[in-house]
Amino acid sequence: MDDKAGKVSERNSQLAEAVALRAKAEPVVWTDSMLQALVRGVRGGKWHSLIDKVWRKETLRRAWERVKSNDGAPGVDGQTIEDFERHLDSNLERLSAQLRGKKYEPKAVRRTWIPKPGKAEQRPLGIPTVADRVVQMACQIVLEPIYEHGFAEQSYGFRKGRSAKDALRRVHQMLKEGKRWVVDADLKSYFDTIPHDQLMERVGQKVSDGSIHELIRQFLGQEVVDGEDRYQPKKGTPQGGVISPLLANIYLDPLDHLMVEQGFEMVRYADDFVILCDTRAEAERALKVVEEWTSDSGLRLHPDKTSLIEAHSAEGFTFLGYHFHEGRKEPRRKSTQKFRDEIRALTKRTNGRSLDRVIEDINSVAEGWFEYFKHSVQSTFRRTDQFIRQRLRAMLRRRKNLRGMVNPKDYKRWPNSFFAGCGLFSMEQARKAILQSLF
């Protein structure tokens, strides 16, 4: 009876797991029988014959829908989302035929540069063509559940049903439980330095389909066009590529599991991670393990951005935009600076838009920022509201041809209640409403 009960319990557990995976898998590819096979484990532990699921018109059409919803700029061929959609059926048929006949060749990736918040540095972004984004998305739809099924619990980035907020909650919980030391780690140029051969070895641990391997190698080897420069990457996977986040998680997954085996509490979001420890000695051991693993894996920790920090000190540490220090958390300086720069751009004294339109645009930015940082200390929102109203008063002064800086008279001309009456979103009031709802 016990043996039977155990088998029933195991089957029920597998069924529950398959149901959970259903929410993360596209039904155009992942049938119930495939999901159950994923949970039970396939013969030899590797999946074969997957390329036929990539080139299916149903898969490519679903991939197109997801690419369209993400929007994005055109690649080197100049083709926009709208251009591709005008001849959607023929475009999808062409991609399907090319993949079936092993004649598919991705075009070059257009590299652009976007500024890093609060820095003079810029971050590279690779933009594939729309057609290549569709093929990458189809490949991701097929592969993602296979790897997602084994990803470690403490990995939060680029995973369905998980978010940066979940990672931050885990960090907060660890601090509440008494973790006092933090390994604040930064992988130097992670996406651009992933070794191709070692990445393909990790892909091959679960998927043995040679056509899938060749397709991924084509993505990794796409020529990069950067202005007038063109080159063939020898390592890395471009930030901006549809399948790059999945490949990045696959490569770091062994580190996640190693930290669990060693008993360390790591929280990772993509290439950004912290390890929370009870003592400095434990943090030193954790850092040594990470250093050895990254060295063996062809990666490098940033020497200036990796450190051991006492969690509750005045210095504290930053993670996913938050600054944790002295038992408090608030937006890190760069996050605040980026937000204020956005508000400055919306409230230029010479802009000709109506006050209602300006406030509407401010609210759109402010509400999103508040939603992410609403767990910060209360003073954060009072200061931010004051800054926004100050910018609006300066704009309104200019419209009245008043010279000089904002002064006490302006607070009487345009009191806080004036802006509230115009519908300006107040972070301070929104935060108070949240606190009141807790009691």
Side-chain angles (χ1 to χ4, degrees), residues 386-425:
Q386 289 171 348
F387 170 77
I388 293 172
R389 290 191 294 261
Q390 191 81 343
R391 290 290 306 176
L392 287 170
R393 289 185 180 105
M395 185 186 76
L396 292 172
R397 275 184 62 82
R398 177 63 179 264
R399 293 183 179 183
K400 283 186 170 291
N401 294 318
L402 297 172
R403 296 182 179 181
M405 305 293 290
V406 172
N407 60 53
K409 289 183 179 179
D410 296 319
Y411 287 86
K412 293 182 179 180
R413 288 190 186 98
W414 305 291
N416 294 355
S417 58
F418 168 79
F419 295 113
C422 292
L424 180 66
F425 175 70

Side-chain angles (χ1 to χ4, degrees), residues 96-385:
S96 178
Q98 289 174 344
L99 289 164
R100 278 199 313 273
K102 297 187 177 181
K103 295 179 180 179
Y104 168 75
E105 292 185 8
K107 291 183 170 62
V109 170
R110 180 170 67 86
R111 172 158 279 194
T112 187
W113 296 82
I114 58 177
K116 289 186 176 182
K119 290 185 177 181
E121 300 175 57
Q122 292 186 312
R123 180 167 64 88
L125 191 66
I127 304 176
T129 65
V130 176
D132 291 338
R133 297 206 293 268
V134 170
V135 176
Q136 286 194 30
M137 184 65 80
C139 190
Q140 178 178 309
I141 285 172
V142 172
L143 295 179
E144 192 168 39
I146 295 172
Y147 295 97
E148 172 67 31
H149 179 53
F151 280 159
E153 185 65 25
Q154 69 268 38
S155 166
Y156 293 89
F158 308 120
R159 298 181 62 188
K160 287 184 179 179
R162 287 168 168 255
S163 67
K165 281 293 190 71
D166 295 320
L168 289 164
R169 288 188 190 98
R170 180 61 179 163
V171 170
H172 181 68
Q173 182 62 32
M174 290 291 96
L175 293 175
K176 281 179 63 177
E177 291 178 8
K179 300 295 183 183
R180 300 197 59 82
W181 283 88
V182 176
V183 179
D184 188 2
D186 186 279
L187 289 169
K188 187 173 177 62
S189 303
Y190 171 59
F191 280 82
D192 289 334
T193 58
I194 300 173
H196 289 175
D197 287 344
Q198 288 174 260
L199 172 59
M200 292 309 302
E201 284 179 14
R202 290 173 191 177
V203 170
Q205 290 171 1
K206 291 192 175 184
V207 171
S208 64
D209 187 326
S211 295
I212 292 288
H213 287 204
E214 178 58 28
L215 190 57
I216 293 175
R217 282 197 178 275
Q218 285 183 293
F219 297 148
L220 296 174
Q222 283 176 271
E223 185 181 32
V224 176
V225 176
D226 188 355
E228 296 182 359
D229 297 329
R230 305 177 76 99
Y231 62 91
Q232 203 84 24
K234 302 300 182 185
K235 55 185 178 180
T237 180
Q239 294 188 67
V242 171
I243 202 168
S244 292
L246 174 60
L247 296 177
N249 270 338
I250 290 171
Y251 199 68
L252 286 181
D253 187 56
L255 174 62
D256 296 337
H257 288 284
L258 175 63
M259 301 310 286
V260 172
E261 292 165 8
Q262 298 272 346
F264 296 119
E265 289 284 356
M266 183 170 82
V267 180
R268 181 174 71 81
Y269 190 94
D271 58 336
D272 194 358
F273 61 91
V274 291
I275 306 167
L276 296 105
C277 305
D278 293 319
T279 65
R280 182 182 178 89
E282 182 188 352
E284 289 171 347
R285 289 196 306 274
L287 179 56
K288 186 174 181 180
V289 171
V290 173
E291 287 173 337
E292 291 175 354
W293 186 90
T294 52
S295 177
D296 291 343
S297 300
L299 304 175
R300 185 182 169 208
L301 290 175
H302 199 301
D304 300 326
K305 298 180 181 179
T306 300
S307 57
L308 305 182
I309 297 169
E310 193 171 3
H312 299 284
S313 65
E315 176 189 6
F317 67 98
T318 61
F319 185 57
L320 299 180
Y322 271 89
H323 182 211
F324 294 81
H325 65 110
E326 299 176 307
R328 299 150 49 97
K329 59 180 181 292
E330 57 192 347
R332 68 173 183 169
R333 187 175 302 172
K334 291 175 186 175
S335 301
T336 300
Q337 185 62 46
K338 181 182 178 183
F339 172 76
R340 291 194 171 201
D341 286 345
E342 289 184 78
I343 297 300
R344 288 188 182 97
L346 294 173
T347 55
K348 288 181 179 178
R349 300 183 187 191
T350 54
N351 83 73
R353 294 172 303 156
S354 69
L355 179 61
D356 286 345
R357 179 62 186 276
V358 171
I359 286 177
E360 182 182 335
D361 291 343
I362 288 174
N363 286 351
S364 178
V365 174
E367 288 172 12
W369 193 84
F370 174 79
E371 179 59 30
Y372 189 80
F373 289 107
K374 63 185 177 184
H375 301 291
S376 301
V377 293
Q378 180 74 13
S379 59
T380 297
F381 308 115
R382 182 170 58 254
R383 293 193 304 268
T384 305
D385 281 349

Side-chain angles (χ1 to χ4, degrees), residues 46-116:
K46 295 185 180 183
W47 287 76
H48 310 269
S49 304
L50 292 172
I51 191 65
D52 62 308
K53 295 171 177 58
V54 175
W55 74 50
R56 286 176 59 210
K57 285 286 292 292
E58 295 87 351
T59 307
L60 290 169
R61 186 170 294 276
R62 181 65 187 114
W64 152 253
E65 291 169 355
R66 288 173 63 170
V67 168
K68 180 183 177 182
S69 69
N70 292 335
D71 201 6
V76 293
D77 60 357
Q79 187 181 51
T80 65
I81 293 286
E82 293 75 17
D83 294 335
F84 190 92
E85 190 171 23
R86 285 192 192 99
H87 307 284
L88 180 60
D89 288 337
S90 61
N91 282 330
L92 295 182
E93 184 58 51
R94 174 176 52 81
L95 289 176
S96 178
Q98 289 174 344
L99 289 164
R100 278 199 313 273
K102 297 187 177 181
K103 295 179 180 179
Y104 168 75
E105 292 185 8
K107 291 183 170 62
V109 170
R110 180 170 67 86
R111 172 158 279 194
T112 187
W113 296 82
I114 58 177
K116 289 186 176 182

